[in-house]
mmCIF file of all heavy atoms in Angstrom:
data_model
loop_
_atom_site.group_PDB
_atom_site.id
_atom_site.type_symbol
_atom_site.label_atom_id
_atom_site.label_comp_id
_atom_site.label_asym_id
_atom_site.label_seq_id
_atom_site.Cartn_x
_atom_site.Cartn_y
_atom_site.Cartn_z
ATOM 1 N N ARG M 3 1.985 -11.489 8.957
ATOM 2 C CA ARG M 3 0.915 -12.110 8.177
ATOM 3 C C ARG M 3 -0.324 -11.218 8.092
ATOM 4 O O ARG M 3 -1.063 -11.270 7.143
ATOM 5 C CB ARG M 3 0.533 -13.459 8.762
ATOM 6 C CG ARG M 3 1.648 -14.469 8.669
ATOM 7 C CD ARG M 3 1.210 -15.792 9.264
ATOM 8 N NE ARG M 3 2.345 -16.665 9.418
ATOM 9 C CZ ARG M 3 2.720 -17.560 8.524
ATOM 10 N NH1 ARG M 3 2.045 -17.681 7.425
ATOM 11 N NH2 ARG M 3 3.770 -18.316 8.739
ATOM 12 N N LYS M 4 -0.523 -10.416 9.138
ATOM 13 C CA LYS M 4 -1.731 -9.583 9.188
ATOM 14 C C LYS M 4 -1.410 -8.287 9.911
ATOM 15 O O LYS M 4 -0.788 -8.295 10.964
ATOM 16 C CB LYS M 4 -2.839 -10.347 9.909
ATOM 17 C CG LYS M 4 -4.162 -9.653 9.904
ATOM 18 C CD LYS M 4 -5.223 -10.512 10.557
ATOM 19 C CE LYS M 4 -6.543 -9.777 10.555
ATOM 20 N NZ LYS M 4 -7.594 -10.512 11.233
ATOM 21 N N LEU M 5 -1.861 -7.190 9.351
ATOM 22 C CA LEU M 5 -1.743 -5.890 9.999
ATOM 23 C C LEU M 5 -3.015 -5.630 10.789
ATOM 24 O O LEU M 5 -4.075 -6.154 10.439
ATOM 25 C CB LEU M 5 -1.556 -4.799 8.944
ATOM 26 C CG LEU M 5 -0.266 -4.894 8.137
ATOM 27 C CD1 LEU M 5 -0.303 -3.909 6.977
ATOM 28 C CD2 LEU M 5 0.932 -4.611 9.021
ATOM 29 N N PRO M 6 -2.946 -4.835 11.845
ATOM 30 C CA PRO M 6 -4.168 -4.538 12.609
ATOM 31 C C PRO M 6 -5.216 -3.903 11.707
ATOM 32 O O PRO M 6 -4.896 -3.064 10.867
ATOM 33 C CB PRO M 6 -3.710 -3.550 13.677
ATOM 34 C CG PRO M 6 -2.235 -3.500 13.619
ATOM 35 C CD PRO M 6 -1.787 -4.125 12.353
ATOM 36 N N THR M 7 -6.470 -4.333 11.859
ATOM 37 C CA THR M 7 -7.533 -3.781 11.020
ATOM 38 C C THR M 7 -8.029 -2.439 11.521
ATOM 39 O O THR M 7 -8.513 -1.631 10.754
ATOM 40 C CB THR M 7 -8.726 -4.745 10.925
ATOM 41 O OG1 THR M 7 -9.159 -5.064 12.242
ATOM 42 C CG2 THR M 7 -8.332 -6.007 10.185
ATOM 43 N N GLU M 8 -7.903 -2.209 12.822
ATOM 44 C CA GLU M 8 -8.307 -0.925 13.375
ATOM 45 C C GLU M 8 -7.133 0.035 13.324
ATOM 46 O O GLU M 8 -5.977 -0.363 13.385
ATOM 47 C CB GLU M 8 -8.783 -1.095 14.810
ATOM 48 C CG GLU M 8 -10.065 -1.888 14.900
ATOM 49 C CD GLU M 8 -10.571 -1.981 16.319
ATOM 50 O OE1 GLU M 8 -10.239 -1.104 17.140
ATOM 51 O OE2 GLU M 8 -11.306 -2.931 16.604
ATOM 52 N N ALA M 9 -7.461 1.295 13.222
ATOM 53 C CA ALA M 9 -6.421 2.318 13.135
ATOM 54 C C ALA M 9 -5.535 2.278 14.368
ATOM 55 O O ALA M 9 -6.020 2.275 15.490
ATOM 56 C CB ALA M 9 -7.045 3.691 12.970
ATOM 57 N N ILE M 10 -4.269 2.234 14.126
ATOM 58 C CA ILE M 10 -3.328 2.358 15.230
ATOM 59 C C ILE M 10 -3.175 3.840 15.514
ATOM 60 O O ILE M 10 -3.651 4.676 14.754
ATOM 61 C CB ILE M 10 -1.967 1.709 14.871
ATOM 62 C CG1 ILE M 10 -1.394 2.336 13.615
ATOM 63 C CG2 ILE M 10 -2.113 0.213 14.726
ATOM 64 C CD1 ILE M 10 0.007 1.881 13.282
ATOM 65 N N ASP M 11 -2.529 4.176 16.583
ATOM 66 C CA ASP M 11 -2.325 5.591 16.889
ATOM 67 C C ASP M 11 -1.370 6.154 15.850
ATOM 68 O O ASP M 11 -0.163 6.014 15.948
ATOM 69 C CB ASP M 11 -1.755 5.755 18.300
ATOM 70 C CG ASP M 11 -1.616 7.212 18.686
ATOM 71 O OD1 ASP M 11 -2.085 8.090 17.930
ATOM 72 O OD2 ASP M 11 -1.027 7.471 19.740
ATOM 73 N N THR M 12 -1.928 6.761 14.825
ATOM 74 C CA THR M 12 -1.128 7.233 13.705
ATOM 75 C C THR M 12 -0.583 8.641 13.897
ATOM 76 O O THR M 12 0.070 9.166 13.013
ATOM 77 C CB THR M 12 -1.948 7.198 12.400
ATOM 78 O OG1 THR M 12 -3.132 7.960 12.582
ATOM 79 C CG2 THR M 12 -2.274 5.769 12.000
ATOM 80 N N LEU M 13 -0.830 9.253 15.045
ATOM 81 C CA LEU M 13 -0.345 10.610 15.256
ATOM 82 C C LEU M 13 1.160 10.707 15.032
ATOM 83 O O LEU M 13 1.650 11.664 14.472
ATOM 84 C CB LEU M 13 -0.711 11.092 16.660
ATOM 85 C CG LEU M 13 -2.194 11.304 16.924
ATOM 86 C CD1 LEU M 13 -2.410 11.696 18.383
ATOM 87 C CD2 LEU M 13 -2.761 12.349 15.997
ATOM 88 N N ASP M 14 1.886 9.715 15.471
ATOM 89 C CA ASP M 14 3.331 9.734 15.318
ATOM 90 C C ASP M 14 3.777 9.314 13.930
ATOM 91 O O ASP M 14 4.939 9.449 13.581
ATOM 92 C CB ASP M 14 3.991 8.808 16.349
ATOM 93 C CG ASP M 14 3.792 9.303 17.773
ATOM 94 O OD1 ASP M 14 3.582 10.520 17.953
ATOM 95 O OD2 ASP M 14 3.838 8.478 18.690
ATOM 96 N N PHE M 15 2.866 8.780 13.145
ATOM 97 C CA PHE M 15 3.225 8.229 11.850
ATOM 98 C C PHE M 15 2.741 9.064 10.664
ATOM 99 O O PHE M 15 3.112 8.789 9.539
ATOM 100 C CB PHE M 15 2.668 6.813 11.707
ATOM 101 C CG PHE M 15 3.198 5.869 12.739
ATOM 102 C CD1 PHE M 15 2.371 5.382 13.735
ATOM 103 C CD2 PHE M 15 4.524 5.486 12.715
ATOM 104 C CE1 PHE M 15 2.867 4.509 14.690
ATOM 105 C CE2 PHE M 15 5.022 4.609 13.673
ATOM 106 C CZ PHE M 15 4.194 4.121 14.657
ATOM 107 N N LYS M 16 1.934 10.077 10.906
ATOM 108 C CA LYS M 16 1.350 10.831 9.807
ATOM 109 C C LYS M 16 2.379 11.523 8.931
ATOM 110 O O LYS M 16 2.124 11.789 7.774
ATOM 111 C CB LYS M 16 0.335 11.852 10.323
ATOM 112 C CG LYS M 16 -0.938 11.190 10.764
ATOM 113 C CD LYS M 16 -2.011 12.181 11.086
ATOM 114 C CE LYS M 16 -3.256 11.420 11.487
ATOM 115 N NZ LYS M 16 -4.412 12.247 11.620
ATOM 116 N N SER M 17 3.552 11.776 9.461
ATOM 117 C CA SER M 17 4.573 12.457 8.668
ATOM 118 C C SER M 17 5.483 11.485 7.916
ATOM 119 O O SER M 17 6.380 11.917 7.207
ATOM 120 C CB SER M 17 5.416 13.366 9.567
ATOM 121 O OG SER M 17 6.094 12.586 10.532
ATOM 122 N N LEU M 18 5.246 10.181 8.050
ATOM 123 C CA LEU M 18 6.072 9.210 7.327
ATOM 124 C C LEU M 18 5.935 9.418 5.828
ATOM 125 O O LEU M 18 4.832 9.582 5.306
ATOM 126 C CB LEU M 18 5.643 7.781 7.663
ATOM 127 C CG LEU M 18 6.043 7.237 9.024
ATOM 128 C CD1 LEU M 18 5.475 5.834 9.212
ATOM 129 C CD2 LEU M 18 7.550 7.209 9.175
ATOM 130 N N SER M 19 7.045 9.386 5.122
ATOM 131 C CA SER M 19 6.990 9.508 3.669
ATOM 132 C C SER M 19 7.254 8.171 2.988
ATOM 133 O O SER M 19 6.887 7.987 1.833
ATOM 134 C CB SER M 19 7.987 10.556 3.184
ATOM 135 O OG SER M 19 9.300 10.165 3.513
ATOM 136 N N THR M 20 7.868 7.235 3.686
ATOM 137 C CA THR M 20 8.166 5.919 3.125
ATOM 138 C C THR M 20 7.762 4.840 4.119
ATOM 139 O O THR M 20 8.102 4.922 5.298
ATOM 140 C CB THR M 20 9.674 5.776 2.825
ATOM 141 O OG1 THR M 20 10.061 6.805 1.916
ATOM 142 C CG2 THR M 20 9.999 4.427 2.219
ATOM 143 N N VAL M 21 7.029 3.844 3.629
ATOM 144 C CA VAL M 21 6.635 2.698 4.446
ATOM 145 C C VAL M 21 6.912 1.440 3.646
ATOM 146 O O VAL M 21 6.595 1.368 2.458
ATOM 147 C CB VAL M 21 5.137 2.763 4.832
ATOM 148 C CG1 VAL M 21 4.680 1.477 5.512
ATOM 149 C CG2 VAL M 21 4.875 3.949 5.738
ATOM 150 N N SER M 22 7.506 0.447 4.304
ATOM 151 C CA SER M 22 7.772 -0.829 3.652
ATOM 152 C C SER M 22 7.225 -1.974 4.491
ATOM 153 O O SER M 22 7.588 -2.120 5.655
ATOM 154 C CB SER M 22 9.275 -1.026 3.440
ATOM 155 O OG SER M 22 9.519 -2.296 2.861
ATOM 156 N N PHE M 23 6.355 -2.760 3.873
ATOM 157 C CA PHE M 23 5.885 -4.023 4.431
ATOM 158 C C PHE M 23 6.351 -5.154 3.518
ATOM 159 O O PHE M 23 5.730 -6.212 3.445
ATOM 160 C CB PHE M 23 4.352 -4.035 4.548
ATOM 161 C CG PHE M 23 3.805 -3.070 5.560
ATOM 162 C CD1 PHE M 23 2.960 -2.043 5.173
ATOM 163 C CD2 PHE M 23 4.126 -3.196 6.895
ATOM 164 C CE1 PHE M 23 2.441 -1.150 6.101
ATOM 165 C CE2 PHE M 23 3.615 -2.301 7.842
ATOM 166 C CZ PHE M 23 2.773 -1.283 7.441
ATOM 167 N N ALA M 24 7.427 -4.931 2.809
ATOM 168 C CA ALA M 24 7.935 -5.877 1.810
ATOM 169 C C ALA M 24 8.378 -7.187 2.446
ATOM 170 O O ALA M 24 8.854 -7.217 3.580
ATOM 171 C CB ALA M 24 9.105 -5.255 1.057
ATOM 172 N N GLY M 25 8.214 -8.279 1.677
ATOM 173 C CA GLY M 25 8.728 -9.574 2.080
ATOM 174 C C GLY M 25 8.027 -10.213 3.254
ATOM 175 O O GLY M 25 8.655 -10.887 4.055
ATOM 176 N N ASN M 26 6.734 -10.030 3.347
ATOM 177 C CA ASN M 26 5.948 -10.645 4.407
ATOM 178 C C ASN M 26 4.897 -11.555 3.778
ATOM 179 O O ASN M 26 5.034 -11.957 2.627
ATOM 180 C CB ASN M 26 5.312 -9.567 5.285
ATOM 181 C CG ASN M 26 6.346 -8.895 6.170
ATOM 182 O OD1 ASN M 26 6.804 -9.462 7.142
ATOM 183 N ND2 ASN M 26 6.740 -7.678 5.809
ATOM 184 N N SER M 27 3.872 -11.858 4.504
ATOM 185 C CA SER M 27 2.777 -12.697 3.997
ATOM 186 C C SER M 27 1.444 -11.986 4.165
ATOM 187 O O SER M 27 0.418 -12.606 4.442
ATOM 188 C CB SER M 27 2.755 -14.038 4.740
ATOM 189 O OG SER M 27 3.948 -14.742 4.530
ATOM 190 N N ILE M 28 1.452 -10.689 3.998
ATOM 191 C CA ILE M 28 0.248 -9.872 4.202
ATOM 192 C C ILE M 28 -0.758 -10.162 3.090
ATOM 193 O O ILE M 28 -0.409 -10.156 1.906
ATOM 194 C CB ILE M 28 0.614 -8.375 4.231
ATOM 195 C CG1 ILE M 28 1.542 -8.111 5.423
ATOM 196 C CG2 ILE M 28 -0.632 -7.515 4.314
ATOM 197 C CD1 ILE M 28 2.180 -6.741 5.391
ATOM 198 N N THR M 29 -2.011 -10.398 3.477
ATOM 199 C CA THR M 29 -3.066 -10.676 2.504
ATOM 200 C C THR M 29 -4.017 -9.498 2.329
ATOM 201 O O THR M 29 -4.758 -9.450 1.348
ATOM 202 C CB THR M 29 -3.891 -11.905 2.918
ATOM 203 O OG1 THR M 29 -4.446 -11.678 4.211
ATOM 204 C CG2 THR M 29 -3.032 -13.159 2.936
ATOM 205 N N MET M 30 -4.005 -8.564 3.282
ATOM 206 C CA MET M 30 -4.929 -7.429 3.217
ATOM 207 C C MET M 30 -4.260 -6.196 3.812
ATOM 208 O O MET M 30 -3.666 -6.263 4.886
ATOM 209 C CB MET M 30 -6.209 -7.752 3.992
ATOM 210 C CG MET M 30 -7.265 -6.678 3.897
ATOM 211 S SD MET M 30 -8.769 -7.081 4.822
ATOM 212 C CE MET M 30 -8.243 -6.750 6.491
ATOM 213 N N LEU M 31 -4.367 -5.100 3.106
ATOM 214 C CA LEU M 31 -3.856 -3.825 3.600
ATOM 215 C C LEU M 31 -5.021 -3.106 4.274
ATOM 216 O O LEU M 31 -6.066 -2.897 3.654
ATOM 217 C CB LEU M 31 -3.324 -2.999 2.429
ATOM 218 C CG LEU M 31 -2.477 -1.791 2.758
ATOM 219 C CD1 LEU M 31 -1.197 -2.214 3.470
ATOM 220 C CD2 LEU M 31 -2.137 -1.037 1.489
ATOM 221 N N PRO M 32 -4.903 -2.732 5.540
ATOM 222 C CA PRO M 32 -6.026 -2.098 6.239
ATOM 223 C C PRO M 32 -6.304 -0.687 5.726
ATOM 224 O O PRO M 32 -5.424 -0.009 5.202
ATOM 225 C CB PRO M 32 -5.575 -2.085 7.699
ATOM 226 C CG PRO M 32 -4.097 -2.167 7.656
ATOM 227 C CD PRO M 32 -3.736 -2.907 6.406
ATOM 228 N N SER M 33 -7.537 -0.248 5.906
ATOM 229 C CA SER M 33 -7.948 1.061 5.409
ATOM 230 C C SER M 33 -7.241 2.209 6.109
ATOM 231 O O SER M 33 -7.127 3.301 5.562
ATOM 232 C CB SER M 33 -9.459 1.223 5.519
ATOM 233 O OG SER M 33 -9.862 1.098 6.863
ATOM 234 N N TRP M 34 -6.721 1.994 7.334
ATOM 235 C CA TRP M 34 -6.055 3.089 8.051
ATOM 236 C C TRP M 34 -4.788 3.554 7.347
ATOM 237 O O TRP M 34 -4.253 4.597 7.692
ATOM 238 C CB TRP M 34 -5.768 2.734 9.503
ATOM 239 C CG TRP M 34 -4.938 1.509 9.771
ATOM 240 C CD1 TRP M 34 -5.392 0.307 10.201
ATOM 241 C CD2 TRP M 34 -3.519 1.366 9.630
ATOM 242 N NE1 TRP M 34 -4.356 -0.578 10.336
ATOM 243 C CE2 TRP M 34 -3.189 0.057 9.992
ATOM 244 C CE3 TRP M 34 -2.495 2.225 9.239
ATOM 245 C CZ2 TRP M 34 -1.883 -0.427 9.969
ATOM 246 C CZ3 TRP M 34 -1.183 1.739 9.211
ATOM 247 C CH2 TRP M 34 -0.899 0.435 9.570
ATOM 248 N N ILE M 35 -4.327 2.848 6.357
ATOM 249 C CA ILE M 35 -3.146 3.294 5.605
ATOM 250 C C ILE M 35 -3.399 4.687 5.019
ATOM 251 O O ILE M 35 -2.476 5.480 4.847
ATOM 252 C CB ILE M 35 -2.766 2.272 4.515
ATOM 253 C CG1 ILE M 35 -1.337 2.487 4.026
ATOM 254 C CG2 ILE M 35 -3.739 2.290 3.362
ATOM 255 C CD1 ILE M 35 -0.277 2.010 4.950
ATOM 256 N N ALA M 36 -4.662 4.999 4.766
ATOM 257 C CA ALA M 36 -5.033 6.306 4.204
ATOM 258 C C ALA M 36 -4.753 7.451 5.165
ATOM 259 O O ALA M 36 -4.670 8.606 4.746
ATOM 260 C CB ALA M 36 -6.503 6.306 3.813
ATOM 261 N N GLU M 37 -4.588 7.157 6.432
ATOM 262 C CA GLU M 37 -4.293 8.205 7.402
ATOM 263 C C GLU M 37 -2.853 8.691 7.309
ATOM 264 O O GLU M 37 -2.507 9.719 7.888
ATOM 265 C CB GLU M 37 -4.606 7.704 8.815
ATOM 266 C CG GLU M 37 -6.089 7.438 9.019
ATOM 267 C CD GLU M 37 -6.404 6.929 10.401
ATOM 268 O OE1 GLU M 37 -5.689 7.299 11.351
ATOM 269 O OE2 GLU M 37 -7.379 6.169 10.535
ATOM 270 N N LEU M 38 -2.043 7.984 6.565
ATOM 271 C CA LEU M 38 -0.646 8.386 6.368
ATOM 272 C C LEU M 38 -0.586 9.330 5.168
ATOM 273 O O LEU M 38 -0.121 8.981 4.098
ATOM 274 C CB LEU M 38 0.240 7.143 6.149
ATOM 275 C CG LEU M 38 0.148 6.069 7.232
ATOM 276 C CD1 LEU M 38 1.022 4.885 6.874
ATOM 277 C CD2 LEU M 38 0.545 6.639 8.588
ATOM 278 N N GLN M 39 -1.072 10.534 5.358
ATOM 279 C CA GLN M 39 -1.275 11.455 4.242
ATOM 280 C C GLN M 39 0.013 12.020 3.669
ATOM 281 O O GLN M 39 0.003 12.565 2.577
ATOM 282 C CB GLN M 39 -2.217 12.559 4.674
ATOM 283 C CG GLN M 39 -3.509 11.969 5.176
ATOM 284 C CD GLN M 39 -4.727 12.657 4.675
ATOM 285 O OE1 GLN M 39 -4.674 13.788 4.254
ATOM 286 N NE2 GLN M 39 -5.838 11.978 4.725
ATOM 287 N N GLY M 40 1.134 11.874 4.364
ATOM 288 C CA GLY M 40 2.413 12.322 3.827
ATOM 289 C C GLY M 40 3.144 11.237 3.052
ATOM 290 O O GLY M 40 4.253 11.444 2.577
ATOM 291 N N LEU M 41 2.490 10.086 2.891
ATOM 292 C CA LEU M 41 3.120 8.934 2.268
ATOM 293 C C LEU M 41 3.460 9.197 0.803
ATOM 294 O O LEU M 41 2.608 9.594 0.019
ATOM 295 C CB LEU M 41 2.180 7.733 2.384
ATOM 296 C CG LEU M 41 2.750 6.358 2.129
ATOM 297 C CD1 LEU M 41 3.874 6.044 3.109
ATOM 298 C CD2 LEU M 41 1.659 5.306 2.234
ATOM 299 N N ARG M 42 4.720 8.990 0.450
ATOM 300 C CA ARG M 42 5.189 9.163 -0.933
ATOM 301 C C ARG M 42 5.626 7.844 -1.563
ATOM 302 O O ARG M 42 5.530 7.692 -2.771
ATOM 303 C CB ARG M 42 6.334 10.157 -0.979
ATOM 304 C CG ARG M 42 5.934 11.565 -0.602
ATOM 305 C CD ARG M 42 7.091 12.540 -0.780
ATOM 306 N NE ARG M 42 6.735 13.858 -0.325
ATOM 307 C CZ ARG M 42 6.099 14.761 -1.058
ATOM 308 N NH1 ARG M 42 5.726 14.480 -2.267
ATOM 309 N NH2 ARG M 42 5.827 15.950 -0.561
ATOM 310 N N GLU M 43 6.100 6.910 -0.731
ATOM 311 C CA GLU M 43 6.571 5.625 -1.243
ATOM 312 C C GLU M 43 6.010 4.508 -0.370
ATOM 313 O O GLU M 43 6.151 4.545 0.845
ATOM 314 C CB GLU M 43 8.107 5.555 -1.204
ATOM 315 C CG GLU M 43 8.771 6.608 -2.053
ATOM 316 C CD GLU M 43 10.292 6.547 -1.942
ATOM 317 O OE1 GLU M 43 10.802 6.246 -0.827
ATOM 318 O OE2 GLU M 43 10.957 6.791 -2.955
#
Side-chain angles (χ1 to χ4, degrees):
R3 295 180 191 266
K4 186 176 179 183
L5 295 171
T7 55
E8 293 183 24
I10 57 173
D11 184 7
T12 56
L13 292 176
D14 294 336
F15 299 111
K16 286 188 179 189
S17 63
L18 285 177
S19 62
T20 302
V21 172
S22 177
F23 293 118
N26 287 286
S27 298
I28 297 169
T29 58
M30 184 180 77
L31 193 63
S33 60
W34 57 256
I35 198 76
E37 295 179 31
L38 306 178
Q39 304 225 339
L41 195 60
R42 294 185 184 275
E43 299 177 324

